[in-house]
Amino acid sequence: MHLTGSLVVSLLAATSFALPDKSAVKHVRSNSGYSLKTPPLTTPWTDKVGTDPWPEYPRPQLERSQWQNLNGVWQYENASGLDAVQSPPFGQNFSQEVLIPSCLESGLSGIQAVDALYSWFSNSFNVDSSWKGQQVLLNFGAVDYEATVFVNGKQAGFHRGGYFRFTLDVTPYVNFGQDNELLVFVHDPTDSGDYVIPIGKQTLNPNHIFYTPCSGIWQSVWIESTPATYITQLDLAADMHGQVNVTVHSSNLNTSTPVEISLLENDKVVAAHKGPSNRPFQFKVSSPKLWSPDSPHLYNVTVKMGSDTIQSYTGFRTISKGTVDGVVRPLLNGEFVFMFGTLDQGFWPDGIYTPPTQEAMVFDLQLLKDLGFNSVRKHIKVENERWYQACDQMGLLVIQDMPAMRPLQTEADGATILPNATQQAEFGRQLTILVNQLKSFPSIAVWIIYNEGWGQITNYYPEFGLTALVQSLDPTRLVDSTTGWFDHGAGDFSDNHHYANPQCGSPFYSIDSSPYDDTRIGFQGEFGGLGNNVSIEHLWNVQAAIETINQTYEIDTSIDAWNYRSHVVLGELRDQVQLFACSGGVWTQTTDVEGEVNGLMTYDRRLKRVNEKQWKSDIQALYDAADARRNNATVEASS
């Protein structure tokens, strides 16, 4: 792996809930020359994006009132190579305009680039003079993959990792009351050359289950004003017994500033506590309303540290495991919860990784909730933080994957491409960031480390050390160390993948899976995958993708046949709940993606395949079967 730049800039893992006050700042941007490119397929929201995308505050668990959104039309130029970062094009106009946030490969970007390995982005922003005496923080939701940031001709920082937010203190570089030049160099190798990095389903050569890559600034960019000593991260965990565990991280690590935290319901303070910054502390709330998929109750939170005030929220719930009538089960608030969701890829035909709008993003989740799913597996991708907030608000348990390194491939000599020691260490570093940035969202129930052996070293078993790492960072959740394939006994789940028929906690398994281990939770990490081809107006109109449609696990020739087969397969899962030790499952998948046509709805979100009455009944039957196993059973808590 090639390494560039200086030290990685420290990331702020944040948290929030408040209305923004934008009166103190003014955003200066060009808005001529940009135009939407026609993607191979659109959605109902494609034409609604405009040139002021994602106006919502991007970080809903650490929200400040003084902020300025930098999303919109920026300038873009393709760069010649990695050495280009040594000669930044300060003060120059670029040849193209690009919409931020977006993937350069998307129609929404206005670029629709191919092989966008090296890129320059430029914008200007004005910071009102009223912010003088305050710190100015520049925030990026996510940049894929490496970003070198310059402000007014000075390098402000460097960041590596395509899925994670980062913050730079740009106070020394900005001119108050004047335009400030912002220049960003992005290097995104994806799966080129000898790079082995976390990329999920992205590839420079899309083929069936691997898709168009996302390069560039694909999540929101914003600045905010803070005092000299400010909150950098808020860790919140509230359990079923009313205990709240808090760590308020400060920009000044050398001192401990007093902190005040208040929990509110309907604008009324229900609990308040004082504690130190930079050290964990706890307090109790009597008889809290618990969070669950059936009742996703949330409490607003205000945190004050000196003159810094942030808004956040939390939910009271406990995720654990225990033995129920002799079977190891996942527990929510002390009771067996049958987790049933979809494999959710988070791809969009118009935006690739970037949903066109908040409304579009929530549309997918609402479909799942309406059908009766209580969970969603975010598949080897990290979403913008408002997606997790939506799951918190709607009541969907999240099974969160770590983005996979390069999938199992072979070089010309047939050797398997796996990470070397440096690349493996980088995977562990980014896994740490994933957990730290998302661990305060109540809806997240499970962390997944490896998917189907992708990037998983098997001549020794690094999943044991990585599992211990995740558990040390977040002891409040379960860990699915290896979902599918190479299971050596790490983690809380014995997780089977099989298409189309499930093999969940059962006494039978296929040769490419592992037998059920009754010391862990029996889970069907993927199954279903039933395909149904549709007319061209609902397909990703790229010939290479269309030619791979028949690689889908099964093709049903009509939607009626697809629903019939779904009913049969879901019935098999119900039987395995009734007869064996199945504790949950993940249906493949929420939507079609490019050449995969096995979604509950098509890639454009315009055609739903599901017979809603049938699906609601079949999903409820799974819960009923789990309830029958749970009733009158004795629960023994496990560590």
Side-chain angles (χ1 to χ4, degrees), residues 1-297:
M1 180 190 215
H2 305 289
L3 302 179
T4 64
S6 56
L7 293 177
V8 176
V9 177
S10 62
L11 294 118
L12 303 183
T15 350
S16 105
F17 235 62
L19 293 176
D21 175 9
K22 304 183 188 178
S23 59
V25 290
K26 175 182 156 189
H27 184 199
V28 179
R29 65 160 84 96
S30 164
N31 50 23
S32 62
Y34 165 78
S35 62
L36 171 74
K37 287 284 182 71
T38 302
L41 186 66
T42 64
T43 71
W45 303 275
T46 305
D47 295 328
K48 298 179 181 180
V49 175
T51 56
D52 189 21
W54 285 94
E56 299 86 3
Y57 191 90
R59 196 182 53 205
Q61 283 200 320
L62 197 163
E63 187 167 325
R64 291 191 171 91
S65 60
Q66 292 288 323
W67 73 289
Q68 177 187 358
N69 196 334
L70 300 189
N71 293 344
V73 177
W74 292 34
Q75 292 191 355
Y76 165 76
E77 193 78 69
N78 183 48
S80 57
L82 198 58
D83 291 341
V85 72
Q86 305 301 326
S87 303
F90 299 126
Q92 299 181 24
N93 286 320
F94 294 168
S95 62
Q96 294 177 276
E97 293 197 329
V98 60
L99 192 68
I100 299 298
S102 68
C103 302
L104 285 172
E105 294 83 355
S106 71
L108 288 178
S109 72
I111 305 296
Q112 250 177 357
V114 176
D115 294 345
L117 302 184
Y118 312 98
S119 304
W120 284 109
F121 298 85
S122 176
N123 195 13
S124 65
F125 61 95
N126 187 294
V127 183
D128 194 272
S129 298
S130 64
W131 280 21
K132 279 187 177 179
Q134 299 284 300
Q135 304 302 112
V136 179
L137 306 183
L138 172 62
N139 303 279
F140 291 82
V143 180
D144 198 357
Y145 173 69
E146 293 176 335
T148 307
V149 181
F150 302 86
V151 176
N152 291 332
K154 303 293 184 180
Q155 182 171 334
F158 169 81
H159 176 259
R160 177 181 294 117
Y163 296 92
F164 310 112
R165 118 178 84 77
F166 62 100
T167 298
L168 306 173
D169 185 343
V170 296
T171 313
Y173 313 113
V174 298
N175 298 313
F176 294 90
Q178 302 177 33
D179 285 354
N180 295 276
E181 183 187 40
L182 173 58
L183 196 63
V184 183
F185 177 77
V186 177
H187 173 214
D188 183 20
T190 313
D191 55 354
S192 64
D194 60 352
Y195 286 92
V196 182
I197 61 176
I199 56 173
K201 284 290 194 88
Q202 301 179 75
T203 177
L204 294 175
N205 299 290
N207 188 299
H208 193 47
I209 65 169
F210 303 110
Y211 318 128
T212 301
C214 173
S215 303
I217 305 169
W218 68 276
Q219 289 188 24
S220 291
V221 185
W222 74 103
I223 59 172
E224 58 191 343
S225 170
T226 73
T229 299
Y230 57 90
I231 298 168
T232 61
Q233 177 176 319
L234 174 63
D235 298 339
L236 268 179
D239 71 17
M240 62 184 284
H241 304 294
Q243 178 163 305
V244 184
N245 293 298
V246 187
T247 304
V248 179
H249 301 265
S250 165
S251 59
N252 188 343
L253 299 177
N254 298 319
T255 63
S256 183
T257 306
V259 168
E260 298 179 21
I261 182 169
S262 302
L263 269 68
L264 300 92
E265 185 175 28
N266 299 323
D267 297 324
K268 179 182 178 182
V269 176
V270 297
H273 191 79
K274 293 183 180 180
S277 66
N278 296 320
R279 295 202 302 268
F281 62 88
Q282 299 80 34
F283 63 96
K284 290 290 290 278
V285 175
S286 60
S287 304
K289 297 177 182 177
L290 301 187
W291 185 97
S292 72
D294 293 332
S295 180
H297 191 83

Side-chain angles (χ1 to χ4, degrees), residues 504-539:
C504 183
S506 67
F508 48 86
Y509 62 98
S510 56
I511 59 172
D512 59 353
S513 187
S514 300
Y516 165 59
D517 173 3
D518 64 9
T519 67
R520 294 180 292 156
I521 298 165
F523 199 74
Q524 192 65 45
E526 294 182 26
F527 78 116
L530 305 173
N532 164 245
N533 206 347
V534 290
S535 52
I536 190 63
E537 63 265 28
H538 298 297
L539 288 174

